Structure formats: structure tokens, C-alpha cells
Amino acid sequence: VPVLDLYEDATSGVRLEEIRSMGPASFAKPSTETLNFSRHGSAYWVRFRLSSPGPAVWLVKCDNPQIDRIDLFLVTKGGVLRKTAGDEFPFGSREFQHRNFIFPLGLPAGESEVFIRFKSQGSLFFQLHLMTPSAFARADYLEQWGLGLYYGVIIVMILFNFLIYMAVRDPAYLYYVFYILTFGLFKF
């Protein structure tokens, strides 16, 4: 993602028009790629600028699927486009049905500005990624392979330890099976 500007909205009541009119001094620069906020009740705004020599399609990926609400605003010469997602909305209502939040952006030629508002009841942490559709497909393919390997190992460990339990009837193996099962489901 290009250089991000970050604003904490402690009242959760700031609107897009107010954010757009704020000067650079109102925003902070994040110190890490992963944005991590534990303050409950605040909304957080992220702002970045994009420049495109011609019409292009880019994807903005937010890699935490447990965020309650995300409002993305694409500001171009032609106006403002708003997209909304979050775990408070049904999965089927997502524009891009994926386990993470993906926002397709059709950028016109010239300068565009993107504002993203994040609001969640729990702790809020995420990384933003800006990528082309082909780069996203490659990255998602590799990620799917990694997840498949991870869950394959978990299943093999469950079956192996259950077979040992059946052979020796030591309850420690059964407890370990339940531990592995809950650990594997937690990562799901």
C-alpha cells in the first residue's frame, strides 16, 4: 500500500467531508505495516493517494475478517464511490466473496484518493494490501496451499493420536486429540 495517513476518531462521529478537509497535521504516519489498536469505541481512518496513467483495476485487501465495519471511499474527479463491508453484514452481501475483505477499485486516469474507516467492538488489527487482480490470485493460491498443508498436518496428528489412544487406552492421548482439534479450529 502507498504511504498511509492515519486518524483516530475517538467519537466515531467524523464524516468523510470532515476528514477530507483536515490538514496533514491531523494525521499520523503508522510506524508498522500491521495497524494494531486496542482502544474500544474509537473509529480509525486511513487515507492514501493513488495515481494511474490510465484506467486500471486494483484490489484493496484487509486481512482481518473479524472487523465489524469497514467503509471505503474512493474519491475521484467524477465523485465519491462508497463501499461497505464487515462481519456485521452477511457473507453473501460482499462484493468480492473471500474470507478476507477485498474491495475492487476501478481507478480512472489521474489522481484518486482513498479513505477507509474501520470500526470494531473488539481489538482492531489488520494489514492493508493494494494489488492487481493477477497478483492477488497468485498470493491467494499460495496462501490456500499453505492453509491446506496446515490443516492436513492437524488432521494427520488427530488421527495418529486417536489410533494410539485406541491401542493403549491412555486418556492422555485422548486429551491431546481434543487439544489438537481445538487448536486447529481456533486457527480456522
Side-chain angles (χ1 to χ4, degrees):
V1 171
V3 177
L4 298 178
D5 294 326
L6 181 65
Y7 177 77
E8 179 182 357
D9 175 11
T11 65
S12 297
V14 176
R15 301 176 50 84
L16 176 65
E17 296 78 24
E18 297 169 79
I19 288 288
R20 288 183 67 190
S21 66
M22 290 181 181
S26 299
F27 291 87
K29 300 284 184 204
S31 57
T32 62
E33 281 187 21
T34 300
L35 302 175
N36 189 353
F37 311 104
S38 60
R39 176 180 255 186
H40 302 291
S42 291
Y44 293 89
W45 287 84
V46 171
R47 172 180 75 176
F48 57 92
R49 291 177 175 82
L50 298 172
S51 181
S52 179
V57 174
W58 287 85
L59 302 176
V60 175
K61 174 185 167 191
C62 178
D63 67 356
N64 180 354
Q66 298 175 342
I67 297 174
D68 292 342
R69 185 179 181 101
I70 304 170
D71 296 298
L72 181 139
F73 302 90
L74 175 63
V75 181
T76 63
K77 292 177 187 171
V80 177
L81 173 68
R82 179 181 183 170
K83 298 182 179 206
T84 302
D87 70 1
E88 65 183 30
F89 301 103
F91 185 82
S93 69
R94 293 183 185 186
E95 182 178 0
F96 201 100
Q97 293 188 354
H98 188 268
R99 72 184 170 282
N100 293 314
F101 298 114
I102 311 292
F103 296 96
L105 299 179
L107 298 177
E111 296 288 324
S112 301
E113 200 168 21
V114 177
F115 295 88
I116 309 175
R117 180 184 182 270
F118 298 91
K119 175 80 171 129
S120 198
Q121 293 301 317
S123 62
L124 187 60
F125 63 93
F126 56 90
Q127 277 189 332
L128 286 176
H129 305 275
L130 180 68
M131 52 185 64
T132 63
S134 60
F136 170 76
R138 277 192 306 276
D140 195 53
Y141 175 79
L142 293 174
E143 193 173 353
Q144 291 293 333
W145 267 99
L147 289 171
L149 287 173
Y150 171 79
Y151 288 113
V153 168
I154 293 292
I155 290 169
V156 167
M157 288 176 63
I158 288 170
L159 292 174
F160 177 73
N161 283 284
F162 185 71
L163 290 175
I164 291 175
Y165 166 75
M166 295 299 287
V168 299
R169 296 290 180 187
D170 182 354
Y173 286 101
L174 190 58
Y175 295 143
Y176 190 58
V177 165
F178 288 124
Y179 169 76
I180 296 169
L181 181 66
T182 57
F183 183 81
L185 289 177
F186 177 73
K187 293 291 186 178
F188 189 68

Tab-separated table of all heavy atoms in Angstrom, residues 40-72:
chain	number	residue	atom	x	y	z
A	40	HIS	N	-11.206	0.627	22.564
A	40	HIS	CA	-12.580	0.315	22.166
A	40	HIS	C	-13.379	1.612	22.029
A	40	HIS	O	-13.217	2.546	22.788
A	40	HIS	CB	-13.234	-0.594	23.197
A	40	HIS	CG	-12.491	-1.873	23.397
A	40	HIS	ND1	-12.436	-2.841	22.435
A	40	HIS	CD2	-11.754	-2.343	24.423
A	40	HIS	CE1	-11.709	-3.847	22.871
A	40	HIS	NE2	-11.281	-3.567	24.074
A	41	GLY	N	-14.254	1.645	21.062
A	41	GLY	CA	-15.116	2.804	20.875
A	41	GLY	C	-14.632	3.769	19.816
A	41	GLY	O	-15.415	4.543	19.287
A	42	SER	N	-13.348	3.751	19.515
A	42	SER	CA	-12.820	4.657	18.503
A	42	SER	C	-12.987	4.050	17.115
A	42	SER	O	-12.947	2.840	16.937
A	42	SER	CB	-11.332	4.939	18.732
A	42	SER	OG	-11.136	5.714	19.881
A	43	ALA	N	-13.146	4.923	16.148
A	43	ALA	CA	-13.075	4.519	14.745
A	43	ALA	C	-11.726	5.022	14.230
A	43	ALA	O	-11.166	5.992	14.750
A	43	ALA	CB	-14.210	5.135	13.943
A	44	TYR	N	-11.181	4.367	13.246
A	44	TYR	CA	-9.893	4.758	12.679
A	44	TYR	C	-10.049	4.967	11.187
A	44	TYR	O	-10.690	4.173	10.499
A	44	TYR	CB	-8.836	3.692	12.972
A	44	TYR	CG	-8.523	3.591	14.445
A	44	TYR	CD1	-9.232	2.744	15.272
A	44	TYR	CD2	-7.547	4.392	15.011
A	44	TYR	CE1	-8.969	2.669	16.630
A	44	TYR	CE2	-7.272	4.336	16.373
A	44	TYR	CZ	-7.985	3.467	17.167
A	44	TYR	OH	-7.730	3.406	18.509
A	45	TRP	N	-9.458	6.047	10.722
A	45	TRP	CA	-9.478	6.392	9.302
A	45	TRP	C	-8.078	6.223	8.739
A	45	TRP	O	-7.097	6.624	9.361
A	45	TRP	CB	-9.901	7.842	9.103
A	45	TRP	CG	-11.354	8.102	9.337
A	45	TRP	CD1	-11.970	8.330	10.538
A	45	TRP	CD2	-12.380	8.196	8.346
A	45	TRP	NE1	-13.305	8.552	10.354
A	45	TRP	CE2	-13.587	8.483	9.018
A	45	TRP	CE3	-12.392	8.075	6.966
A	45	TRP	CZ2	-14.789	8.642	8.349
A	45	TRP	CZ3	-13.592	8.232	6.297
A	45	TRP	CH2	-14.774	8.512	6.979
A	46	VAL	N	-8.018	5.645	7.546
A	46	VAL	CA	-6.769	5.526	6.800
A	46	VAL	C	-6.970	6.264	5.486
A	46	VAL	O	-8.027	6.156	4.858
A	46	VAL	CB	-6.412	4.043	6.547
A	46	VAL	CG1	-5.245	3.916	5.603
A	46	VAL	CG2	-6.136	3.330	7.853
A	47	ARG	N	-5.951	7.008	5.099
A	47	ARG	CA	-6.027	7.768	3.848
A	47	ARG	C	-4.762	7.498	3.042
A	47	ARG	O	-3.663	7.449	3.591
A	47	ARG	CB	-6.125	9.260	4.174
A	47	ARG	CG	-6.025	10.167	2.958
A	47	ARG	CD	-6.123	11.622	3.348
A	47	ARG	NE	-4.872	12.069	3.954
A	47	ARG	CZ	-4.629	13.313	4.330
A	47	ARG	NH1	-5.561	14.238	4.201
A	47	ARG	NH2	-3.484	13.640	4.864
A	48	PHE	N	-4.935	7.308	1.736
A	48	PHE	CA	-3.779	7.231	0.844
A	48	PHE	C	-4.191	7.691	-0.544
A	48	PHE	O	-5.365	7.716	-0.889
A	48	PHE	CB	-3.144	5.829	0.814
A	48	PHE	CG	-4.053	4.707	0.418
A	48	PHE	CD1	-4.153	4.300	-0.898
A	48	PHE	CD2	-4.787	4.026	1.376
A	48	PHE	CE1	-4.973	3.252	-1.266
A	48	PHE	CE2	-5.612	2.969	1.023
A	48	PHE	CZ	-5.702	2.583	-0.300
A	49	ARG	N	-3.195	8.073	-1.311
A	49	ARG	CA	-3.425	8.604	-2.661
A	49	ARG	C	-2.901	7.621	-3.695
A	49	ARG	O	-1.892	6.957	-3.479
A	49	ARG	CB	-2.740	9.955	-2.813
A	49	ARG	CG	-3.389	11.038	-1.989
A	49	ARG	CD	-2.651	12.380	-2.094
A	49	ARG	NE	-3.357	13.427	-1.400
A	49	ARG	CZ	-3.293	13.650	-0.093
A	49	ARG	NH1	-2.558	12.870	0.667
A	49	ARG	NH2	-3.977	14.631	0.463
A	50	LEU	N	-3.593	7.573	-4.827
A	50	LEU	CA	-3.200	6.716	-5.937
A	50	LEU	C	-3.139	7.541	-7.208
A	50	LEU	O	-3.933	8.461	-7.392
A	50	LEU	CB	-4.206	5.575	-6.118
A	50	LEU	CG	-4.367	4.610	-4.951
A	50	LEU	CD1	-5.531	3.663	-5.208
A	50	LEU	CD2	-3.094	3.829	-4.751
A	51	SER	N	-2.225	7.189	-8.069
A	51	SER	CA	-2.101	7.847	-9.362
A	51	SER	C	-2.072	6.763	-10.432
A	51	SER	O	-1.336	5.787	-10.319
A	51	SER	CB	-0.822	8.682	-9.403
A	51	SER	OG	-0.713	9.321	-10.640
A	52	SER	N	-2.877	6.944	-11.457
A	52	SER	CA	-2.951	5.952	-12.521
A	52	SER	C	-2.831	6.648	-13.871
A	52	SER	O	-3.551	7.614	-14.137
A	52	SER	CB	-4.289	5.207	-12.417
A	52	SER	OG	-4.401	4.259	-13.439
A	53	PRO	N	-1.918	6.180	-14.744
A	53	PRO	CA	-1.783	6.812	-16.067
A	53	PRO	C	-2.988	6.557	-16.962
A	53	PRO	O	-3.253	7.311	-17.893
A	53	PRO	CB	-0.523	6.166	-16.647
A	53	PRO	CG	-0.354	4.894	-15.895
A	53	PRO	CD	-0.973	5.086	-14.552
A	54	GLY	N	-3.716	5.499	-16.684
A	54	GLY	CA	-4.920	5.172	-17.453
A	54	GLY	C	-5.870	4.405	-16.562
A	54	GLY	O	-5.563	4.112	-15.410
A	55	PRO	N	-7.038	4.073	-17.082
A	55	PRO	CA	-7.975	3.296	-16.271
A	55	PRO	C	-7.343	1.973	-15.819
A	55	PRO	O	-6.655	1.311	-16.595
A	55	PRO	CB	-9.153	3.039	-17.217
A	55	PRO	CG	-9.042	4.101	-18.262
A	55	PRO	CD	-7.580	4.399	-18.401
A	56	ALA	N	-7.543	1.619	-14.555
A	56	ALA	CA	-6.943	0.398	-14.004
A	56	ALA	C	-7.841	-0.164	-12.904
A	56	ALA	O	-8.634	0.553	-12.305
A	56	ALA	CB	-5.560	0.709	-13.443
A	57	VAL	N	-7.682	-1.450	-12.659
A	57	VAL	CA	-8.408	-2.104	-11.574
A	57	VAL	C	-7.387	-2.569	-10.542
A	57	VAL	O	-6.414	-3.237	-10.868
A	57	VAL	CB	-9.226	-3.318	-12.085
A	57	VAL	CG1	-9.856	-4.061	-10.919
A	57	VAL	CG2	-10.279	-2.858	-13.070
A	58	TRP	N	-7.608	-2.166	-9.314
A	58	TRP	CA	-6.775	-2.571	-8.187
A	58	TRP	C	-7.669	-3.156	-7.112
A	58	TRP	O	-8.856	-2.843	-7.036
A	58	TRP	CB	-6.007	-1.375	-7.619
A	58	TRP	CG	-4.895	-0.921	-8.509
A	58	TRP	CD1	-4.996	-0.062	-9.555
A	58	TRP	CD2	-3.532	-1.326	-8.453
A	58	TRP	NE1	-3.765	0.109	-10.153
A	58	TRP	CE2	-2.848	-0.669	-9.485
A	58	TRP	CE3	-2.822	-2.184	-7.621
A	58	TRP	CZ2	-1.491	-0.832	-9.709
A	58	TRP	CZ3	-1.464	-2.348	-7.841
A	58	TRP	CH2	-0.809	-1.677	-8.880
A	59	LEU	N	-7.084	-4.007	-6.276
A	59	LEU	CA	-7.801	-4.593	-5.152
A	59	LEU	C	-7.177	-4.122	-3.849
A	59	LEU	O	-5.956	-4.145	-3.703
A	59	LEU	CB	-7.748	-6.124	-5.211
A	59	LEU	CG	-8.311	-6.790	-6.464
A	59	LEU	CD1	-8.089	-8.299	-6.409
A	59	LEU	CD2	-9.777	-6.486	-6.622
A	60	VAL	N	-8.015	-3.699	-2.919
A	60	VAL	CA	-7.562	-3.377	-1.566
A	60	VAL	C	-7.998	-4.545	-0.692
A	60	VAL	O	-9.176	-4.880	-0.631
A	60	VAL	CB	-8.173	-2.061	-1.045
A	60	VAL	CG1	-7.779	-1.821	0.399
A	60	VAL	CG2	-7.747	-0.897	-1.920
A	61	LYS	N	-7.019	-5.176	-0.035
A	61	LYS	CA	-7.296	-6.341	0.809
A	61	LYS	C	-7.022	-5.987	2.264
A	61	LYS	O	-5.968	-5.464	2.590
A	61	LYS	CB	-6.409	-7.509	0.392
A	61	LYS	CG	-6.512	-8.724	1.296
A	61	LYS	CD	-5.501	-9.787	0.869
A	61	LYS	CE	-5.358	-10.850	1.910
A	61	LYS	NZ	-4.225	-11.729	1.645
A	62	CYS	N	-7.985	-6.257	3.113
A	62	CYS	CA	-7.838	-6.105	4.562
A	62	CYS	C	-7.818	-7.513	5.133
A	62	CYS	O	-8.786	-8.258	4.985
A	62	CYS	CB	-8.988	-5.289	5.138
A	62	CYS	SG	-8.889	-5.135	6.912
A	63	ASP	N	-6.715	-7.889	5.778
A	63	ASP	CA	-6.517	-9.294	6.119
A	63	ASP	C	-7.049	-9.729	7.484
A	63	ASP	O	-6.633	-10.751	7.995
A	63	ASP	CB	-5.047	-9.673	5.979
A	63	ASP	CG	-4.160	-8.999	6.996
A	63	ASP	OD1	-4.662	-8.171	7.779
A	63	ASP	OD2	-2.960	-9.296	7.014
A	64	ASN	N	-7.972	-8.989	8.066
A	64	ASN	CA	-8.607	-9.440	9.309
A	64	ASN	C	-10.109	-9.566	9.062
A	64	ASN	O	-10.807	-8.559	8.963
A	64	ASN	CB	-8.341	-8.473	10.453
A	64	ASN	CG	-8.975	-8.910	11.756
A	64	ASN	OD1	-9.711	-9.882	11.811
A	64	ASN	ND2	-8.707	-8.192	12.815
A	65	PRO	N	-10.633	-10.793	8.998
A	65	PRO	CA	-12.058	-10.967	8.694
A	65	PRO	C	-12.991	-10.722	9.878
A	65	PRO	O	-14.189	-10.933	9.770
A	65	PRO	CB	-12.134	-12.429	8.236
A	65	PRO	CG	-11.017	-13.097	8.948
A	65	PRO	CD	-9.921	-12.064	9.060
A	66	GLN	N	-12.460	-10.268	11.015
A	66	GLN	CA	-13.285	-10.077	12.206
A	66	GLN	C	-13.564	-8.611	12.517
A	66	GLN	O	-13.998	-8.285	13.614
A	66	GLN	CB	-12.632	-10.749	13.403
A	66	GLN	CG	-12.506	-12.246	13.209
A	66	GLN	CD	-11.754	-12.916	14.327
A	66	GLN	OE1	-11.040	-12.285	15.077
A	66	GLN	NE2	-11.919	-14.217	14.435
A	67	ILE	N	-13.341	-7.742	11.575
A	67	ILE	CA	-13.635	-6.323	11.769
A	67	ILE	C	-15.132	-6.109	11.554
A	67	ILE	O	-15.713	-6.582	10.578
A	67	ILE	CB	-12.806	-5.451	10.808
A	67	ILE	CG1	-11.316	-5.634	11.114
A	67	ILE	CG2	-13.205	-3.994	10.914
A	67	ILE	CD1	-10.394	-4.950	10.144
A	68	ASP	N	-15.760	-5.380	12.477
A	68	ASP	CA	-17.216	-5.213	12.423
A	68	ASP	C	-17.672	-4.420	11.206
A	68	ASP	O	-18.637	-4.799	10.544
A	68	ASP	CB	-17.724	-4.510	13.691
A	68	ASP	CG	-17.573	-5.376	14.926
A	68	ASP	OD1	-17.410	-6.604	14.786
A	68	ASP	OD2	-17.610	-4.826	16.035
A	69	ARG	N	-17.005	-3.311	10.925
A	69	ARG	CA	-17.459	-2.463	9.819
A	69	ARG	C	-16.274	-1.756	9.173
A	69	ARG	O	-15.430	-1.183	9.856
A	69	ARG	CB	-18.464	-1.438	10.307
A	69	ARG	CG	-19.061	-0.617	9.182
A	69	ARG	CD	-20.085	0.374	9.696
A	69	ARG	NE	-20.644	1.110	8.587
A	69	ARG	CZ	-21.828	0.867	8.042
A	69	ARG	NH1	-22.586	-0.089	8.514
A	69	ARG	NH2	-22.261	1.597	7.044
A	70	ILE	N	-16.268	-1.796	7.841
A	70	ILE	CA	-15.263	-1.096	7.043
A	70	ILE	C	-16.007	-0.297	5.991
A	70	ILE	O	-16.827	-0.846	5.245
A	70	ILE	CB	-14.291	-2.069	6.347
A	70	ILE	CG1	-13.613	-2.993	7.361
A	70	ILE	CG2	-13.263	-1.308	5.532
A	70	ILE	CD1	-12.832	-4.126	6.724
A	71	ASP	N	-15.729	1.000	5.940
A	71	ASP	CA	-16.301	1.867	4.904
A	71	ASP	C	-15.155	2.393	4.061
A	71	ASP	O	-14.250	3.051	4.579
A	71	ASP	CB	-17.059	3.041	5.532
A	71	ASP	CG	-18.252	2.586	6.325
A	71	ASP	OD1	-19.160	1.986	5.736
A	71	ASP	OD2	-18.276	2.821	7.546
A	72	LEU	N	-15.178	2.086	2.777
A	72	LEU	CA	-14.145	2.557	1.862
A	72	LEU	C	-14.761	3.619	0.963
A	72	LEU	O	-15.857	3.422	0.430
A	72	LEU	CB	-13.604	1.406	1.023
A	72	LEU	CG	-12.496	1.770	0.044
A	72	LEU	CD1	-11.430	0.696	0.036
A	72	LEU	CD2	-13.025	1.992	-1.357
